[in-house]
Amino acid sequence: MLKFTFLIHRLEGMSREDFVQYHRNIHAPLFMSIPETEKYVRKYVVSHPVDVAGFPPATYDAITDIYFSSMDDYNSFFASENYQLKVHPDEKNFFKLDEVISQVSDEKIVK
């Protein structure tokens, strides 16, 4: 499996609470609602930093991990009409599209 990690900054003027609420309760269900998610996505995780004493403040407002079986599945998902017309347009409502950092990994669970 291939793991695609996206590091995201929220929009200027959007509170952390509003950002997390939108990401978890609006965008994630929208992402899950298209049939291509069931067909191509193996795992979808949204993570939001928490403040913990002794740790520096987070650099990003969210980490989204999306797992696919192959690059073909990744390409098919993101090229799909449902993603392009329903999910992608929503992204600009809560995060800075031009500041997303992405990475592709071959995850190995050790424990």
Side-chain angles (χ1 to χ4, degrees):
M1 247 192 320
L2 296 172
K3 175 182 174 181
F4 294 80
T5 299
F6 303 93
L7 304 171
I8 301 168
H9 283 132
R10 68 181 183 263
L11 293 177
E12 296 291 332
M14 182 177 241
S15 72
R16 178 191 276 181
E17 295 77 21
D18 287 345
F19 172 80
V20 170
Q21 186 278 333
Y22 195 95
H23 196 186
R24 289 184 179 168
N25 301 319
I26 306 292
H27 187 74
L30 176 63
F31 182 96
M32 294 302 299
S33 74
I34 64 172
E36 290 81 3
T37 300
E38 183 66 31
K39 182 174 183 179
Y40 297 114
V41 175
R42 299 295 160 245
K43 185 176 178 181
Y44 173 58
V45 180
V46 295
S47 303
H48 302 95
V50 294
D51 294 326
V52 176
F55 283 83
T59 305
Y60 289 87
D61 297 299
I63 301 169
T64 299
D65 295 311
I66 310 172
Y67 296 72
F68 294 91
S69 293
S70 67
M71 279 303 300
D72 287 341
D73 285 358
Y74 168 90
N75 290 327
S76 294
F77 178 81
F78 284 106
S80 72
E81 184 175 345
N82 279 321
Y83 174 77
Q84 291 293 320
L85 296 178
K86 296 177 181 178
V87 179
H88 182 58
D90 185 58
E91 294 168 351
K92 71 180 181 327
N93 293 327
F94 70 107
F95 72 85
K96 298 177 183 179
L97 292 170
D98 59 338
E99 293 185 14
V100 173
I101 301 293
S102 58
Q103 175 176 300
V104 182
S105 306
D106 175 16
E107 183 178 81
K108 170 67 176 147
I109 299 173
V110 177
K111 179 180 178 185

